[in-house]
Amino acid sequence: MSTIQTSLSEIADALRPAQRIAIAAHVRPDGDALGSVMGLALSLRAMGKTVYALLEDGVPLNLAFLPETVTILTPPYADFEVDVALALDTATHERVGEHTKAALARAPLLIDIDHHPTNPGYGHLNHVDGTQPAVGQIIYELLKAGGFPITDAVMQHLYTAISTDTGSFQYSSTNARTHHIAGEMLAAGLDSSRLAQLLYQTYPARRLQLLRAMLNEMDFRAEGRIASWQFTRALMDEVQVQPGDTEGMIDTLRMIDSVVTAVIFEEMADGKIRVSARSKDQRLDVSAVCGQFGGGGHRLASGARMKGPIQEAAETFLTALEHEVRRLA
Amino acid sequence: MSTIQTSLSEIADALRPAQRIAIAAHVRPDGDALGSVMGLALSLRAMGKTVYALLEDGVPLNLAFLPETVTILTPPYADFEVDVALALDTATHERVGEHTKAALARAPLLIDIDHHPTNPGYGHLNHVDGTQPAVGQIIYELLKAGGFPITDAVMQHLYTAISTDTGSFQYSSTNARTHHIAGEMLAAGLDSSRLAQLLYQTYPARRLQLLRAMLNEMDFRAEGRIASWQFTRALMDEVQVQPGDTEGMIDTLRMIDSVVTAVIFEEMADGKIRVSARSKDQRLDVSAVCGQFGGGGHRLASGARMKGPIQEAAETFLTALEHEVRRLA
């Protein structure tokens, strides 16, 4: 293991002679994880290589429309051999998932490419660049550095990675190069509006049912500065919720102008309560509040798992959060 | 009047010697209208010119945070003199508004810059480019062509114009140059994420009240292919609705995967019912249905005004619409 930063052209050099390559990303994959894996995989396949694309939790429903996602493998993995393995967008080695970690270990060389600044560099080669908004953007630069093929299918995946991880070019991580890359893709013929339509402008009626429930049930405290919602198993069953249905719902709470912090409590199958918390104010560190309950994360986006029942967990957490909010002003 | 296309560098040449310039855009201004007017105005002011920025209906609340919007004039206009007048983003001469049209007529030279392909070219000089996603993008090219100043305040306005008129770079009108311009602005130091936050990620609690009402009251017909909602004066009064609060709400109906057409009926102060209709299917022409009631517009986005009461208008319109939807399949 080495934390010396390896350049993208050196990584391209390491990939060029490899014939069998495994590529994985983190559990519960999002657009950047899946798009980065498949963007790189499809470019390498276009070079004639055998590429195993591994996702411990498989393909989220809302991204299944992307090219060749049917070739993504999930555990249990067959007994294939690998020359080089890559872990993308995965801050710790464990977060590729147990089976996937074992499959990657078959390769003599592990390459770790990430944009999480906390990534310790667990690969034999590491390229960790916390200034990049998406690993998909790093993969695009890697393909450019190596002169690797950038087909329309590759662009669809990398555009999805970049667009979803920047909130459609809105987050502060978006940089000039992000837009220039998107511009290059459009100039090369990518139909980005079709992707945007499929990514952002289509959702099942289930999602509106959830949104309606949230708007009817949401709770405000501390003069509207705290917004929260309890997402119960009863509702999940009623709506027959699918992975991806709840994505971004906490943002709807967060966007209300009076709100400083938004929290969603979600009743898990095992009876535990998953807490997701967001802050809009740098002075309010939600990771510290989550830390009181064994969780953690970032200052403005954090989580924890608590004991049920959900009402008690919510009351306990919100009391602690309100204490912090009241210290602000 | 001439419909010969004038190049942007010729327009820049016409602006360079002018000392007193009036710039206007269409009534009920959106981000592209206001951003284009103020982006050009602030650049010309930075060159020492006297610039009158005219908006018949003034500044929408949600855009008032942008630089120098307090300098925008509304009728009745003072008796200022003008060397050159410009109408931006305004498909017909009348759509600048009555008072504004009269004020623009004080100038011996009218320049019409637009991206509506139907614009007949009502200026003495006309630059109408229907391939551009936003007039803000044309104004950026004009400033480049003329070597005019592009300050941070200018960029804030033009970025707002481009971002809002492309749905944050998602609409099919977005082109490679759109992204390259955004990239140039970010490279020049523009804080685009702050603008995105203010444009898209902040809304009053009123807006959630409206959304909740819509989700609770929306009506589906034709196996979920038609979604509609009746927005009553009673709710408007209860929520104390402000201009801009309802922007994009019809998209929430439209995005449901089963929905082919979405309609909102809005009870106006004069008792008339404003109908807004959207189609997701090129075969379903909502302007034809609106035409049956004296309205019109585009194939996929159209409107009409009907007689109240709202329930009867809705029933009449939806019956006609359902007739068309049932012909599809």
Side-chain angles (χ1 to χ4, degrees):
Chain A
M1 307 293 161
S2 158
T3 55
I4 292 166
Q5 190 82 337
T6 304
S7 75
L8 293 176
S9 57
E10 287 172 287
I11 290 176
D13 291 342
L15 291 173
R16 210 171 277 109
Q19 199 41 241
R20 300 163 302 184
I21 299 174
I23 312 177
H26 60 76
V27 293
R28 298 170 59 105
D30 56 8
D32 192 25
L34 182 141
S36 295
V37 166
M38 287 304 296
L40 179 56
L42 293 178
S43 178
L44 296 172
R45 279 182 197 157
M47 296 167 76
K49 300 180 188 304
T50 300
V51 181
Y52 305 99
L54 314 179
L55 287 177
E56 188 92 1
D57 295 334
V59 179
L61 271 185
N62 62 320
L63 299 173
F65 72 88
L66 285 164
E68 303 289 329
T69 54
V70 290
T71 66
I72 289 174
L73 304 175
T74 52
Y77 297 119
D79 199 22
F80 51 80
E81 290 184 25
V82 184
D83 304 322
V84 175
L86 297 102
L88 310 183
D89 196 29
T90 309
T92 67
H93 201 167
E94 284 61 41
R95 265 186 63 80
V96 291
E98 189 188 334
H99 298 89
T100 303
K101 188 179 173 185
L104 296 183
R106 298 174 196 171
L109 182 69
L110 175 65
I111 302 174
D112 162 19
I113 300 177
D114 194 14
H115 70 141
H116 294 95
T118 55
N119 186 308
Y122 51 80
H124 301 99
L125 302 178
N126 301 286
H127 185 90
V128 177
D129 185 351
T131 69
Q132 297 307 319
V135 172
Q137 183 163 334
I138 304 176
I139 297 298
Y140 183 85
E141 305 289 20
L142 169 65
L143 301 186
K144 283 280 183 184
F148 294 174
I150 301 180
T151 64
D152 187 74
V154 169
M155 289 195 292
Q156 288 189 48
H157 279 285
L158 297 183
Y159 182 92
T160 296
I162 291 169
S163 171
T164 57
D165 243 33
T166 59
S168 198
F169 305 96
Q170 292 182 17
Y171 299 159
S172 60
S173 55
T174 307
N175 55 43
R177 186 76 188 130
T178 314
H179 277 293
H180 285 305
I181 289 171
E184 286 176 24
M185 290 182 177
L186 269 65
L190 179 70
D191 184 352
S192 63
S193 68
R194 178 185 154 269
L195 294 174
Q197 174 107 17
L198 291 163
L199 290 169
Y200 306 117
Q201 296 170 31
T202 306
Y203 47 65
R206 291 193 309 275
R207 197 180 151 84
L208 275 200
Q209 286 180 267
L210 291 179
L211 185 57
R212 173 166 60 193
M214 185 176 82
L215 295 178
N216 286 327
E217 299 164 5
M218 63 189 174
D219 176 66
F220 291 95
R221 303 191 175 205
E223 297 82 44
R225 288 180 288 171
I226 301 175
S228 68
W229 180 50
Q230 298 176 23
F231 184 22
T232 63
R233 285 220 79 73
L235 179 62
M236 280 175 226
D237 293 344
E238 184 193 323
V239 173
Q240 302 206 296
V241 70
Q242 300 288 325
D245 283 352
T246 58
E247 196 153 311
M249 285 186 62
I250 197 165
D251 294 322
T252 302
L253 293 181
R254 193 175 57 82
M255 286 180 202
I256 304 169
D257 52 9
S258 70
V259 168
V260 173
T261 174
V263 191
I264 289 183
F265 301 93
E266 183 180 343
E267 208 170 2
M268 316 275 289
D270 63 4
K272 287 236 171 63
I273 308 303
R274 177 158 54 209
V275 184
S276 304
R278 298 288 181 274
S279 167
K280 275 156 81 173
D281 187 327
Q282 282 292 345
R283 296 174 303 160
L284 179 71
D285 180 1
V286 286
S287 74
V289 180
C290 289
Q292 296 177 31
F293 305 100
H298 304 280
R299 200 172 175 82
L300 301 183
S302 198
R305 306 252 167 146
M306 296 176 72
K307 261 196 331 197
I310 191 166
Q311 292 82 354
E312 278 179 32
E315 196 52 46
T316 305
F317 187 91
L318 292 172
T319 301
L321 182 61
E322 187 163 354
H323 182 73
E324 294 301 314
V325 168
R326 296 227 173 264
R327 284 172 51 183
L328 288 183
Chain B
M1 306 292 162
S2 158
T3 57
I4 292 166
Q5 190 81 339
T6 305
S7 75
L8 293 175
S9 57
E10 287 171 287
I11 291 176
D13 290 344
L15 290 173
R16 209 171 278 111
Q19 198 43 240
R20 298 162 303 181
I21 299 173
I23 312 176
H26 60 77
V27 292
R28 295 169 61 105
D30 56 8
D32 192 25
L34 182 141
S36 295
V37 167
M38 286 305 295
L40 179 56
L42 293 178
S43 178
L44 295 173
R45 280 183 196 157
M47 296 166 76
K49 299 181 188 304
T50 300
V51 182
Y52 304 99
L54 314 179
L55 288 176
E56 188 92 0
D57 294 335
V59 179
L61 269 186
N62 62 320
L63 298 172
F65 71 88
L66 285 164
E68 303 289 328
T69 55
V70 290
T71 66
I72 289 175
L73 304 176
T74 52
Y77 297 119
D79 198 24
F80 51 80
E81 291 184 23
V82 183
D83 304 320
V84 175
L86 296 102
L88 308 183
D89 195 30
T90 308
T92 67
H93 201 167
E94 283 61 41
R95 264 185 64 80
V96 292
E98 188 189 333
H99 297 89
T100 303
K101 189 178 173 186
L104 295 183
R106 299 174 195 171
L109 181 69
L110 175 65
I111 302 175
D112 162 19
I113 299 178
D114 195 13
H115 70 141
H116 294 95
T118 54
N119 187 309
Y122 51 80
H124 302 101
L125 302 178
N126 301 285
H127 185 90
V128 177
D129 185 351
T131 70
Q132 297 308 319
V135 172
Q137 182 163 335
I138 302 176
I139 298 298
Y140 183 85
E141 305 289 20
L142 169 65
L143 301 186
K144 283 279 184 187
F148 294 173
I150 301 180
T151 63
D152 187 74
V154 169
M155 291 195 291
Q156 288 188 49
H157 279 285
L158 296 183
Y159 181 93
T160 295
I162 292 170
S163 171
T164 56
D165 243 32
T166 60
S168 197
F169 306 95
Q170 292 182 16
Y171 299 160
S172 60
S173 55
T174 307
N175 55 42
R177 187 74 189 133
T178 315
H179 277 294
H180 284 305
I181 289 171
E184 286 176 22
M185 289 182 178
L186 268 64
L190 178 70
D191 185 352
S192 63
S193 69
R194 178 185 154 268
L195 294 174
Q197 174 107 17
L198 290 164
L199 290 169
Y200 306 118
Q201 297 169 32
T202 306
Y203 47 64
R206 290 192 310 273
R207 197 178 152 87
L208 275 200
Q209 285 180 267
L210 291 179
L211 185 58
R212 174 167 59 192
M214 185 176 82
L215 295 177
N216 286 327
E217 299 163 6
M218 61 189 175
D219 175 66
F220 292 94
R221 302 189 177 205
E223 297 81 46
R225 288 180 288 169
I226 302 175
S228 68
W229 181 50
Q230 298 177 23
F231 184 22
T232 63
R233 284 221 79 75
L235 179 63
M236 278 175 227
D237 292 344
E238 183 193 324
V239 173
Q240 302 205 297
V241 70
Q242 301 287 326
D245 283 352
T246 57
E247 195 154 312
M249 284 186 64
I250 197 164
D251 295 321
T252 302
L253 293 181
R254 195 176 55 82
M255 287 181 202
I256 302 170
D257 50 11
S258 71
V259 168
V260 174
T261 174
V263 191
I264 290 183
F265 301 93
E266 184 180 342
E267 208 170 2
M268 317 275 288
D270 62 4
K272 289 239 170 60
I273 309 302
R274 176 155 59 207
V275 184
S276 305
R278 299 287 182 275
S279 166
K280 274 155 80 171
D281 187 327
Q282 282 291 344
R283 296 174 303 159
L284 180 70
D285 180 0
V286 286
S287 74
V289 181
C290 288
Q292 296 177 30
F293 304 99
H298 306 281
R299 202 171 174 81
L300 301 183
S302 200
R305 305 252 166 147
M306 297 177 71
K307 260 195 333 196
I310 190 165
Q311 291 84 354
E312 278 179 31
E315 197 52 45
T316 305
F317 188 91
L318 291 171
T319 301
L321 182 62
E322 185 163 355
H323 183 73
E324 295 301 314
V325 167
R326 296 226 173 265
R327 286 173 50 184
L328 289 183

